[in-house]
Amino acid sequence: MASLRKFWIVCSLLLLVGFTFRFALARYLVIDDPDDGKVYAQLARNLLAQNVYSHATEPPYEPSLIRMPGYPLFLAGVYWLFGESNDSVVRITQVLLDTATCALIALIAFYWEPDQTRKQVAALAALALAAVCPFTAIYTATLLTETPTIFLSVMMCLTATHAFRSLTTQRSFLLW
């Protein structure tokens, strides 16, 4: 029981480290240079204000096929909840998503480790590596699709893991 408690304490500390690292990046190293981020934000603003999927900055707001709608819809949802062009909240949301991604990575490592005695060690190692990985964490500081995409990809991998581990065909089919 003490071992399990230590495991959860270390997991919590690693998640706190990951969150703090990502929050610091999103707060102090804001990257607004990519034109893609500006296009995504304009699409989201036009969705809210003009009810049209357009990247135009002034009328006429002609519909556009310039980008897939997933991330602009995500931005529009955040803008709708917290105020138009509130990019700070978008970054904080991405920090939370990326920190959750770290937890999902640890969970996948836990499930994939075949040795019962090493499952917790594998999960902690994966969580530690994911928590301090600068290559994915830097995307929380900019308005780009990478953070939600990584989260959804890892979630898909976890769902596939559950489908493989499922004991019934019906549950496996449902997960797939």
Side-chain angles (χ1 to χ4, degrees), residues 145-169:
T145 63
E146 277 76 356
T147 299
T149 301
I150 293 169
F151 173 78
L152 292 172
S153 297
V154 172
M155 181 62 82
M156 181 191 65
C157 188
L158 181 61
T159 304
T161 300
H162 282 298
F164 280 127
R165 294 171 47 94
S166 181
L167 299 176
T168 65
T169 306

Side-chain angles (χ1 to χ4, degrees), residues 9-19 99 123-125 127-128 131-132:
I9 289 172
V10 173
C11 281
S12 299
L13 289 173
L14 286 172
L15 285 172
L16 181 63
V17 166
F19 175 82
T99 305
L124 288 176
L127 181 56
V132 297

